[in-house]
Amino acid sequence: MPKAVLGEKTADADTESLASNDDTPGFDDTGIPLVDSESEDDTEDEDEDEPALRYKRLGGSVPGLFEKDTASTLRACERFLVLGTHWGNVIVIDIEGNLIKQWRAHSATVNSVSVDLDNEYVASAGDDGRVVVHGLYNDDITIVDYSRPVKAVAIDPMFSRKRRFVCGGTGGQVIMYEKKWYAKGDTILFTSAGPILSIQWMDSLVAWACDEGVQVYDVGRAMRITQIARPEGSPRADLFTCRLQWRDSLTLDIGWADFVQVVVLKERAPDALGPLLYAEISVLFRTDFVVCGLAVYRSQFLVLTYGDHETVDQGRVDSNGGGQERNRNAQAPELRVINRNIEEMSSDALPLDGYSLLQPNDYALAYCPPATPGEDPDTWFILSPKQLVAVRPRGLADHVQWLTERENYQQALSDIEDAYAGRGPWAMYRDQVKEPEYQAIGQHYAQLLMDAGDSAEAAKVCLRVLPRTGETESVAAWESWIFAFAEANALQLVAPHIPTAGLSSTVYEMVLAFLLTSDIAQFKELVFAWPPTLFNAFSVALAVEDQLEKTTGDREALQETLAFLYDRLNQPAKSLKYHLELFTVGVLDRIRRENLFDAVRDKAELVMRYDDHELGGEARSLGDRCEAKGVVLLTDNTDAIPCSSVVKQLVSSPEHLHVYLHTLLGKDAHLGAPFADLQVELYAEYDPAKLLSFLRISTYYTFDRALEICEERGLVPEMVFILGRMGDNHRALMLIIERLRDVPRAIEFAKEQNDPELWSDLMVYSRDKPEFIVGLLELGGTLTNPTKLIRSVPQGLIVPDIRRALTNVLYDYHLQVELCTDCKHVLDADCELLSEGLRRVQHQGLAVDGDQMCLVCQDSLAGSVALSFWCGHVFHDRCVLHPDVLKKTMLKSMSESALGRRNTRLMHGSIEQRRMLTQSKLDRTMLIRQYHPVCPVCAEYDQKKMAQMHTGWSSSERKDHGEEPTAELLPPMQALLL
């Protein structure tokens, strides 16, 4: 288990210790850390935590290089590493350990190397007092000799343009070397009482470590920004090398002896005095080990450590007493991960070659940024004199392998899925585990669950990992697992998620058959969801119908399924049956829209039940029920849905039959004629108030049967009506009198029948019944003789309200007399008015056009004496009158010439002349009428008409054939030519 590291984040807090881990992993041939035998025995029974990092020795050229030389310093870049050796060599290798370039830059140990931002120049500093800047891609070499050992060097990140570096050593001076086109020289930036041990350059800021602490210098402004003093109680500055690491341009991580600090540079207020930036210590904690290297790993500290608190204490003693003695039984270095809460998350002991003889300053930790940020993992390199180890975060493949070895398949699958989705810490390693490997892990885990009897969890795993492509392997995997779940009687767990393509129809039908008997709801869901090509819909429908007959529970789901299947099979006659039983919304509209009337020919009862459902459970009036969609559909389409078929189906449901026949009566009374007797019985049972109306409008029922039905139910008014239609008026009247005792109704019945015998019977029956006597007097009107009725009343009979009744009779009689008198006056006035109008019309003249032709001789009437009849026919007088009559009727005072004058001349003559001519015409007309002349045209027509009458024409037929009134009774008149 990781051990907690106690510490603090403030500069003035007490120092607390870090505990180290006793586990000491070695390395196998692949670079995986191994745990020694002693630690295996101690940790075998404990819970094992997954390592956070994985280690690998660099191969390639590294082992050969270290056979003859030992490493002293290390610098890592994105694409290569730079090593300095104790023999003064500078070596450039790639991240796999293959040699790129090598040169001998110094005659003594190389203490520090630095690389510019463009990775084009490498600077090195050695104990020979020289600083050498060597071009990697050219022959450019800069050598500066300071005559004293140089312990640290930092090249300008923009060296290719500015040609400068900063170095320091045992002389205690921090020197900036700068080469310009006109000169070159050194600038002393700082002078310390002790040696300069470490220098790091970031952008325009340079940080170095000396006896006074860590100094930060702004090269751009040529001023020192701040000094971070060494914590109180620290060992001698040169005893343990200070580890400086710029996290970014304003954050500096410091590891020195047993202290770790994080310094953040912040900008001052605009109006504040002093440098633009100032330093603030954000994290400070003390450990019980020596810091040999410091880096950042996922917002956590990655610390290479050496020894324990005894090493630190010994260092303090050496600081007071003199030099440091080399420990010949040193512990292996450890790589620890410490979080922001200063808690140790993991610790790995590194048994590097010769570690027992090495000191803290012999180790180095370098961070290699990824070539593609966000995609490639971070890499750190640990350097010892004889070994170079690459440290990387454990990838997804490592993580999954570690989990599967411990049979934690569930977590392995979850982490793989998160990585595929771009979530979690393993997202950048998602390419390490391929889809087939993920599926294999999941299926193996599912098989273990199935063997353990946990089918539910196995189903969840299968649904996560099984492929959903149409490839052969995918189909085979799905079919195999489907049969496996079928054998385990757990097919319902995977059925909803089975691929809807690629599998054989046998598999789908097997699934449906299983669910039909185990989970009807899921069965229905799959039938609705699956494409129709996956299974034989007809076979499934037959199986569902068989199951429906056996099922007493959830029948609705099966009915919905059958309706859906038969719709899919294009069998509306079967599907509509289930739609109507389920009261599917809009099914009746669909029948009309798709003209499916033949499909519901035998489903009248279901249609009527559908109406009941639509109307709700409340009692509805007959009118509402007759307007429902179902019954309207049945009655509007009697051609496709015969009435006889509907009646047969509804016989077992008389109330529905009554609604149907009543609606049919409103549509067409003739359609319900064969069922009139049945309808009488239905009205008598369910709606007696409408029976009398039906009896009045229908003529198809049997009187005897209708009378029998009414007698059974005591429907007296209906019996009266039927008896009246049967002609048994006396019996009907007796029912009204004896059973209804309704005087107005009896009188009304007698009026309707208009039978004098009924009135006599009514008067005989009423003579000893006061209420009937009063009723006849008040309501009998002119149809009864009040005098006869009063005389028939027995002596001594007390008749209440007789006075009022007699008063009303007398008043009515007086009113009738007055009405008759007034009517006579009105008729006389009308006759007088009409007679005057007739006389005025008969005395009017007829205008005759001079261009008209005589209907006998067909000559023009112009210049001749014309004779016109009231029928409108005009003739020459000579063509109509007999010559003797013509001679007798000719006036001597009226000559031919006078009669034949032109109208214009007449109209322009004197008034006396016109008056004499008109008088002559009138006189002649009176003479002609004495001989009763006849219009020849009308006379001929009358002869033809008489002949046709003998052939059998009726008067209406004669009228229809356009008979005109005869003209023989209409006197002729002499026409005035215009």
Side-chain angles (χ1 to χ4, degrees), residues 14 68 199 367 392 406 431 501 538 719 766 780 943 957 967:
D14 295 336
K68 301 178 181 180
I199 301 176
Y367 169 65
R392 293 183 178 89
R406 288 150 185 81
D431 294 336
F538 184 74
M719 294 171 61
S766 304
Q943 292 177 359
E957 290 174 337

Side-chain angles (χ1 to χ4, degrees), residues 469-484:
T469 63
E471 298 178 358
T472 306
E473 295 79 4
S474 174
V475 172
W478 270 104
E479 292 184 351
S480 174
W481 278 104
I482 289 171
F483 284 111

Side-chain angles (χ1 to χ4, degrees), residues 254-276:
I254 304 173
W256 203 346
D258 59 345
F259 279 94
V260 175
Q261 295 174 291
V262 177
V263 179
V264 179
L265 300 178
K266 298 184 178 180
E267 294 184 0
R268 295 183 186 274
D271 56 348
L273 300 177
L276 181 62

Side-chain angles (χ1 to χ4, degrees), residues 493-514:
L493 299 174
V494 296
H497 310 282
I498 294 176
T500 55
L503 306 185
S504 65
S505 59
T506 304
V507 173
Y508 295 109
E509 292 178 5
M510 179 192 70
V511 173
L512 292 178
F514 176 85

Side-chain angles (χ1 to χ4, degrees), residues 206 208 271 287 297 368 390 501 543 601 728 732 821 844 863 881 886 921:
V206 178
W208 63 81
D271 56 348
T287 69
Y297 165 57
C368 179
R601 183 185 301 225
D728 196 349
T821 303
Q844 289 179 350
L881 299 178
L886 180 63
K921 282 180 173 286

Side-chain angles (χ1 to χ4, degrees), residues 199-441:
I199 301 176
Q200 293 292 331
W201 194 331
M202 170 65 73
D203 294 340
S204 64
L205 299 179
V206 178
W208 63 81
C210 58
D211 283 356
E212 290 79 7
V214 176
Q215 314 292 325
V216 179
Y217 185 87
D218 189 342
V219 177
R221 294 179 175 83
M223 62 185 303
R224 188 162 59 96
I225 294 175
T226 186
Q227 172 179 305
I228 299 95
R230 295 172 61 207
E232 185 178 353
S234 298
R236 197 175 69 234
D238 61 344
L239 191 61
F240 301 113
T241 302
C242 179
R243 314 292 178 167
L244 297 177
Q245 176 70 39
W246 282 103
R247 186 181 303 182
D248 53 47
S249 59
L250 295 175
T251 305
L252 178 63
D253 297 331
I254 304 173
W256 203 346
D258 59 345
F259 279 94
V260 175
Q261 295 174 291
V262 177
V263 179
V264 179
L265 300 178
K266 298 184 178 180
E267 294 184 0
R268 295 183 186 274
D271 56 348
L273 300 177
L276 181 62
L277 301 175
Y278 70 95
E280 179 179 288
I281 299 176
S282 62
V283 177
L284 170 62
F285 61 90
R286 173 171 287 174
T287 69
D288 59 356
F289 46 74
V290 177
V291 177
C292 300
L294 182 63
V296 177
Y297 165 57
R298 294 178 183 174
S299 301
Q300 299 173 335
F301 294 106
L302 188 64
V303 185
L304 180 63
T305 67
Y306 176 90
D308 53 18
H309 62 89
E310 294 181 357
T311 305
V312 179
D313 294 341
Q314 183 64 38
R316 292 190 177 94
V317 172
D318 295 340
S319 298
N320 296 327
Q324 181 185 18
E325 295 183 2
R326 181 169 291 274
N327 188 356
R328 296 191 175 275
N329 192 20
Q331 298 178 0
E334 297 183 38
L335 191 61
R336 303 172 187 261
V337 178
I338 302 173
N339 63 15
R340 287 183 172 273
N341 296 325
I342 321 303
E343 296 175 347
E344 185 176 297
M345 304 305 296
S346 67
S347 175
D348 297 330
L350 309 175
L352 302 175
D353 292 346
Y355 70 88
S356 61
L357 300 176
L358 300 179
Q359 296 299 315
N361 294 344
D362 294 328
Y363 297 103
L365 175 65
Y367 169 65
C368 179
T372 306
E375 296 183 8
D376 297 332
D378 294 333
T379 306
W380 300 268
F381 292 92
I382 298 174
L383 178 68
S384 70
K386 284 292 186 179
Q387 205 166 22
L388 184 60
V389 177
V391 181
R392 293 183 178 89
R394 288 174 61 84
L396 181 60
D398 303 320
H399 177 64
V400 170
Q401 180 182 0
W402 188 85
L403 291 174
T404 53
E405 287 174 354
R406 288 150 185 81
E407 297 186 352
N408 191 355
Y409 298 98
Q410 181 68 28
Q411 186 63 41
L413 294 175
S414 298
D415 290 343
I416 295 174
E417 292 164 359
D418 289 343
Y420 286 166
R423 301 188 302 265
W426 310 106
M428 68 174 61
Y429 309 107
R430 56 181 173 268
D431 294 336
Q432 294 182 359
V433 178
K434 303 302 181 182
E435 189 73 21
E437 184 179 355
Y438 163 70
Q439 296 168 4
I441 294 172

